[in-house]
Amino acid sequence: GLHTRRMYTRTKSCPRRIFRAFSKSGTEYESPNILSSMRGLSQNIWKQILSDTSSGNHTVIDCTCGNGHDSLYLARILFDLQASSSSTLICIDLNEKAINNTAKRLVEYDSQDIRMLHQSHEKLPKWIEPETVSLVVWNFGFLPHSPEKESTITKAESSVASIMEAVPLIKKGGALSLTLYPGHDDCTHRYNWNMSKA
């Protein structure tokens, strides 16, 4: 079965943020007791996951790349800390502005295997082989610092479909990482839907 780990924190903008990490191997991922943000918590765990897997070459998917902050951190692990030219980072977002923002943020890694996919995260690319992916990341919600009309809010149905698509892609020692934000419009419904179906 999938190992589940939950982390909680509180912020002014959102009553509660939930982070969940799933590992096929049941590996326990430790995190510092004090972190300044949920992003710091999740990034610490991603680094441990990518360090724990047996191969130095990884395939990592950022299913909701947004403005590219998470993608940039993942790129640094894959291409700087790991110094591996054989790893692949796949960045997905339905919002064209998000894809453009992420591409700009990753420009220093243009010689690496980074694939920008302007599409919904509901269906993952068919060319990804089962049990070949080290880490799949979601940061559910909407595109930060963008007018509401330009934002694409993640929905429960497509989000759960994306999670289910990702499960068979994870290799031994790999993980799924989900960050959700109850407190935004429709977020409580999305949270309950995801937790009951995932």
Side-chain angles (χ1 to χ4, degrees):
L2 296 177
H3 172 73
T4 304
R5 189 175 180 86
R6 301 182 184 181
M7 303 294 177
Y8 300 90
T9 187
R10 295 185 181 274
T11 68
K12 292 181 180 179
S13 61
C14 185
R16 186 175 58 175
R17 296 184 180 186
I18 294 92
F19 175 84
R20 303 181 75 195
F22 305 82
S23 171
K24 270 192 172 180
S25 65
T27 303
E28 289 284 350
Y29 298 110
E30 296 183 358
S31 60
N33 292 327
I34 300 175
L35 287 166
S36 59
S37 68
M38 185 54 64
R39 174 170 282 128
L41 171 61
S42 55
Q43 289 178 350
N44 178 270
I45 294 177
W46 300 343
K47 188 174 180 180
Q48 292 184 59
I49 291 167
L50 295 177
S51 298
D52 287 346
T53 49
S54 58
S55 172
N57 299 327
H58 303 286
T59 296
V60 175
I61 309 173
D62 185 349
C63 285
T64 52
C65 62
N67 285 315
H69 296 286
D70 291 340
S71 297
L72 178 59
Y73 185 84
L74 292 166
R76 287 172 175 163
I77 296 174
L78 294 175
F79 307 122
D80 290 344
L81 298 181
Q82 298 281 349
S84 171
S85 60
S86 299
S87 290
T88 300
L89 175 60
I90 301 167
C91 305
I92 299 173
D93 208 291
L94 184 61
N95 190 308
E96 185 176 7
K97 181 176 180 180
I99 287 291
N100 292 337
N101 289 347
T102 299
K104 290 176 183 177
R105 202 171 294 278
L106 295 175
V107 67
E108 64 185 289
Y109 297 100
D110 58 2
S111 64
Q112 304 292 344
D113 188 4
I114 298 179
R115 312 194 187 181
M116 308 297 302
L117 304 181
H118 179 205
Q119 65 174 65
S120 170
H121 61 267
E122 183 172 4
K123 293 291 184 180
L124 299 181
K126 296 300 182 184
W127 45 263
I128 303 175
E129 297 289 334
E131 299 186 8
T132 61
V133 177
S134 300
L135 177 65
V136 185
V137 172
W138 295 264
N139 193 334
F140 296 112
F142 58 88
L143 184 65
H145 310 298
S146 178
E148 188 67 27
K149 63 181 180 181
E150 295 183 24
S151 299
T152 304
I153 300 175
T154 53
K155 301 298 183 182
E157 292 81 359
S158 60
S159 297
V160 171
S162 180
I163 295 165
M164 294 299 101
E165 288 242 327
V167 169
L169 302 181
I170 296 297
K171 65 183 181 181
K172 184 177 180 180
L176 309 178
S177 167
L178 291 71
T179 305
L180 302 94
Y181 303 86
H184 296 302
D185 291 342
D186 192 42
C187 201
T188 301
H189 168 70
R190 182 169 66 252
Y191 168 74
N192 290 333
W193 217 95
N194 275 281
M195 294 303 107
S196 65
K197 300 295 182 181

